[in-house]
Amino acid sequence: MNYRHIYHAGNFADVFKHCVLVVLLESLLRKEKPFCYVDTHAGLGIYDLQQESSQKTLEYLSGVSRVLDYGHKDIPVEITPYLTAIKKLNQAYIVNDDLTGDNIHFYPGSPFIARSLLRSQDRMVLMELHQEDVLTLREVFSRDKQVAVHHYDGYQGLKAFLPPAERRGLVLIDPSFEQKNELDLVLSALESALSRWQTGIYAIWYPIKDFTLVDNFLRAIRKMGFPYLISDLIIGKQTMLKEFIGCGMVIVNPPWQIEAALEKVLQGLWKALSPELIGGVRVTK
Ligand SMILES: C[S@@+](CC[C@H](N)C(=O)[O-])C[C@H]1O[C@@H](n2cnc3c(N)ncnc32)[C@H](O)[C@@H]1O
């Protein structure tokens, strides 16, 4: 396993993914009933952006830093919990009550963001296969009784941990796309997960480089016959080189009436993340 998320933490794709995650979790919080959050590819939990690996790529400067510097009045209110989680990690670097794109030191991963929204009745299950990264993740959540961290293959974990006892919740599938056939692995894991737990919400992140590949993937999801919602964010121009110009999240069994909130959040993010207004946003069934 060569992929290390620290090189990419806080980039535009993370911002997109984590804001969609917040919108989904907020919808689960509307009912008192407990829920379970399952993260199949959890990563480190917290990322030190001042570390050499992150400073090598500086990807966060065109991601989270742009959102922090965009001007709070233009950032959709729905993503306040996302900004709060970032501020919580960066308390020591807040100047004049404000955190700027230059001052940010730490970036929260999906497990940290989800944990910041959980109530005492909720629970989360995290899986990470990298043998060093899982140790860091364990440390972040040591002594937290609501969080279970497993050194486990996320796809296999869906068989082991679904359905959760709560019978209510969200599964985030956020692979590193190191495997050439990663989308096929996702499809077969999703199919098997849906056979175990038909009513769970599943959010699957995918990169947009090759539109044919994405279309085929979404067609296969459609064929599974469950309700779904597609949300995409594109911030670059399409070229023959199949560069990483955007990303998307397909949500299977989306919460009721979530489209409007997602559209609003993504339009706001797109303006912050694509200062030259290249690309755009799509939220569609
Ligand atoms: C894109 S990163 C996850 C980022 C994290 N979800 C977040 O948003 O903060 C993908 C992670 O999956 C891990 N990984 C790769 N293959 C895996 C597998 N089969 N099962 C579990 N984890 C895996 C990688 O080590 C990496 O940490």
Side-chain angles (χ1 to χ4, degrees):
M1 294 178 71
N2 293 319
Y3 181 92
R4 310 303 295 271
H5 195 64
I6 181 72
Y7 287 95
H8 312 291
N11 69 3
F12 81 93
D14 259 6
V15 174
F16 163 82
K17 165 199 316 174
H18 295 150
C19 289
V20 176
L21 174 65
V22 163
V23 173
L24 291 172
L25 288 168
E26 279 175 330
S27 75
L28 282 164
L29 291 167
R30 280 190 208 117
K31 285 191 187 152
E32 271 306 302
K33 270 183 87 178
F35 69 84
C36 181
Y37 168 72
V38 179
D39 201 325
T40 57
H41 296 70
L44 291 177
I46 295 174
Y47 298 88
D48 180 350
L49 300 177
Q50 300 308 314
Q51 236 188 49
E52 204 187 331
S53 335
S54 185
Q55 285 296 312
K56 230 180 219 167
T57 59
L58 293 175
E59 287 190 19
Y60 69 95
L61 291 181
S62 49
V64 63
S65 292
R66 283 196 175 151
V67 174
L68 291 173
D69 291 340
Y70 187 60
H72 297 287
K73 66 173 186 8
D74 299 316
I75 293 293
V77 64
E78 287 82 356
I79 65 162
T80 303
Y82 168 68
L83 297 173
T84 306
I86 296 173
K87 285 185 181 159
K88 191 172 163 192
L89 276 182
N90 288 279
Q91 280 299 338
Y93 307 100
I94 293 181
V95 180
N96 294 335
D97 219 21
D98 206 13
L99 182 67
T100 65
D102 286 338
N103 289 345
I104 184 168
H105 272 56
F106 296 104
Y107 185 76
S110 49
F112 187 92
I113 294 168
R115 181 64 185 97
S116 69
L117 280 159
L118 253 55
R119 306 157 300 186
S120 57
Q121 65 265 45
D122 307 320
R123 186 170 73 85
M124 57 193 232
V125 176
L126 310 175
M127 287 163 260
E128 170 55 52
L129 198 53
H130 195 286
Q131 55 183 10
E132 285 167 37
D133 289 0
V134 75
L135 297 179
T136 310
L137 186 66
R138 280 215 172 108
E139 226 170 89
V140 171
F141 296 106
S142 62
R143 293 183 296 276
D144 189 332
K145 290 207 170 75
Q146 286 173 254
V147 184
V149 179
H150 300 277
H151 183 208
Y152 219 89
D153 179 323
Y155 301 123
Q156 293 303 322
L158 290 179
K159 292 185 185 143
F161 302 117
L162 297 189
E166 296 82 353
R167 301 275 168 163
R168 191 172 175 255
L170 166 67
V171 178
L172 174 68
I173 304 178
D174 178 24
S176 43
F177 288 87
E178 265 186 289
Q179 317 267 12
K180 262 204 144 171
N181 65 338
E182 196 85 51
L183 286 175
D184 294 332
L185 296 178
V186 170
L187 287 170
S188 72
L190 178 66
E191 204 151 28
S192 137
L194 280 165
S195 71
R196 273 157 223 282
W197 189 29
Q198 300 204 345
T199 54
I201 302 167
Y202 298 84
I204 303 129
W205 182 89
Y206 52 86
I208 299 180
K209 295 179 184 171
D210 179 336
F211 283 88
T212 312
L213 216 63
V214 171
D215 286 348
N216 289 342
F217 171 66
L218 295 175
R219 198 167 302 127
I221 298 260
R222 201 166 293 138
K223 266 192 175 166
M224 290 183 191
F226 286 81
Y228 65 90
L229 193 66
I230 298 162
S231 55
D232 285 345
L233 170 82
I234 293 183
I235 59 158
K237 283 197 179 108
Q238 192 180 350
T239 68
M240 300 296 282
L241 297 174
K242 296 187 177 162
E243 287 164 315
F244 182 31
I245 56 164
C247 59
M249 192 97 107
V250 56
I251 303 154
V252 177
N253 293 328
W256 196 56
Q257 289 187 332
I258 203 179
E259 287 101 315
L262 262 188
E263 176 92 40
K264 183 180 165 214
V265 163
L266 296 185
Q267 288 293 352
L269 283 183
W270 173 65
K271 286 181 198 139
L273 293 169
S274 183
E276 287 157 5
L277 302 183
I278 297 169
V281 160
R282 160 175 87 150
V283 177
T284 181
K285 283 185 181 154

